[in-house]
Amino acid sequence: MLEKTIRSKILRYLNSLPQSDFVVSPPGTQTGESDIKGCIAGRYICVEVKVPGKKPRPSQRYRLNKLRKAGALVIVASSVDEVKGAIALERYGEIHSVASFALRGKP
């Protein structure tokens, strides 16, 4: 599946959640910028979308780590299920579905 297809599905899911607002970063934005960013009930969340088996570039990892240290929930995902799992882990402290990895942190 193409990254843009995965991104579209994740965006649709995130915007279906109550008290949420997410957008896709436009092409040509700052190097390392997350693919999807927004809020759920006041919590800033950014999602870097990757096809299965791919990892963020060094510039993306740098930016994601800065956001994580600032209090954002940072998710690197290749499916909607991974995003669901990372959000469930953040909200409830347990995984309710499969999540590959999320860079979590609170200041």
Side-chain angles (χ1 to χ4, degrees):
M1 187 179 308
L2 296 173
E3 186 175 302
K4 71 179 190 176
T5 304
I6 299 167
R7 185 174 47 240
S8 178
K9 289 180 180 188
I10 291 172
L11 182 66
R12 191 174 320 119
Y13 166 71
L14 289 169
N15 280 322
S16 75
L17 298 173
Q19 297 181 308
S20 69
D21 184 36
F22 286 85
V23 296
V24 171
S25 296
T29 56
Q30 176 181 342
T31 301
E33 195 68 30
S34 304
D35 292 315
I36 300 171
K37 52 192 168 187
C39 278
I40 296 176
R43 178 68 194 263
Y44 185 74
I45 299 172
C46 53
V47 181
E48 181 59 38
V49 180
K50 294 291 177 191
V51 295
K54 296 289 184 180
K55 294 183 179 180
R57 295 185 313 271
S59 62
Q60 292 170 324
R61 288 198 65 80
Y62 174 79
R63 180 77 177 133
L64 294 173
N65 279 321
K66 282 188 73 168
L67 288 164
R68 180 189 54 78
K69 288 176 183 175
L73 172 61
V74 175
I75 304 168
V76 178
S78 59
S79 71
V80 172
D81 282 343
E82 290 176 351
V83 172
K84 287 179 182 180
I87 291 171
L89 180 62
E90 174 69 13
R91 283 187 171 174
Y92 309 111
E94 56 188 69
I95 298 176
H96 290 267
S97 71
V98 179
S100 64
F101 61 99
L103 302 172
R104 297 180 51 211
K106 295 183 179 108

